[in-house]
Amino acid sequence: KDRVLGDPNAPIEIIEYSSLTCPHCRSFHIDILPEIKKNYIDTGKVKLVYRDFPFDQLGLVAAVMARCAPPSRYFQFLDVLFQNQEKWTTESDPLAALTRIGKLGGLSQEDFNACLNDKALVDGLLQVRLTANKQSDIKSTPSFIIDGDKRIVGAQSYEVFDELLKKLID
């Protein structure tokens, strides 16, 4: 299932395709999303639909862990994973680093292991990526589909999003 930030009934939808190991995705979540959230999501004008597009095994494992968190805490997990991306992705044992992050978020070692062994969850996340690639021609992260047919691809400034969203709202 999609994870949605904001009012699910907001009139404008941003679909974000992102990998938790992608540095440009990290930049979006740390530098740009807070402004979009403040100006558009928190005001009920826009909702953000987050879809995992893992580029590597570590990104897939991190996505699985975030999906194992309760849905109400999903975006908090994403925030922690993106904020600490440089640490957990470069550790000699990144799986242990992810396990520590999970424990801080209330995910036990047993729960984390069960999630990693949940074939339906793992296959589902990989299917999202394949579907996005085939149906929407998503090839890189971050990629955004806004209001069904407008695209923003790669590392872009807040102003790029702001300009497009203002046009759609007016």
Side-chain angles (χ1 to χ4, degrees):
K1 286 187 170 183
D2 284 334
R3 297 290 192 249
V4 179
L5 183 63
D7 179 353
N9 298 312
I12 296 172
E13 177 179 76
I14 299 173
I15 300 173
E16 174 190 2
Y17 292 95
S18 185
S19 176
L20 289 163
T21 54
C22 160
H24 294 297
C25 301
R26 176 187 186 275
S27 294
F28 171 78
H29 275 264
I30 291 173
D31 301 326
I32 296 161
L33 182 57
E35 285 296 308
I36 293 173
K37 188 174 180 313
K38 180 177 86 176
N39 296 323
Y40 294 101
I41 295 172
D42 292 346
T43 59
K45 298 172 187 168
V46 171
K47 66 182 170 192
L48 177 86
V49 176
Y50 184 92
R51 293 188 181 158
D52 290 290
F53 198 89
F55 271 123
D56 53 33
Q57 187 66 30
L58 189 54
L60 178 61
V61 169
V64 167
M65 184 186 77
R67 287 284 174 159
C68 288
S72 63
R73 297 178 67 203
Y74 178 75
F75 283 97
Q76 292 169 320
F77 263 84
L78 289 188
D79 287 345
V80 170
L81 289 166
F82 278 123
Q83 298 236 357
N84 295 285
Q85 183 190 78
E86 293 172 346
K87 293 177 188 171
W88 63 266
T89 58
T90 59
E91 283 208 17
S92 59
D93 186 352
L95 193 57
L98 285 173
T99 300
R100 286 191 300 275
I101 291 170
K103 284 181 183 175
L104 289 172
L107 196 62
S108 72
Q109 180 71 51
E110 294 76 27
D111 290 339
F112 186 41
N113 290 342
C115 284
L116 291 178
N117 292 316
D118 183 341
K119 184 170 173 27
L121 175 60
V122 172
D123 289 349
L125 289 170
L126 292 173
Q127 187 60 51
V128 167
R129 180 182 170 176
L130 288 172
T131 300
N133 182 259
K134 287 181 183 174
Q135 292 180 357
S136 302
D137 200 32
I138 302 296
K139 294 184 172 120
S140 62
T141 59
S143 287
F144 305 88
I145 299 175
I146 300 171
D147 211 28
D149 61 350
K150 289 129 193 98
R151 292 176 176 261
I152 296 176
V153 178
Q156 302 293 329
S157 68
Y158 170 75
E159 290 73 25
V160 170
F161 288 90
D162 188 48
E163 181 180 326
L164 177 56
L165 293 171
K166 280 181 180 172
K167 286 179 188 173
L168 294 171
I169 289 169
D170 291 338

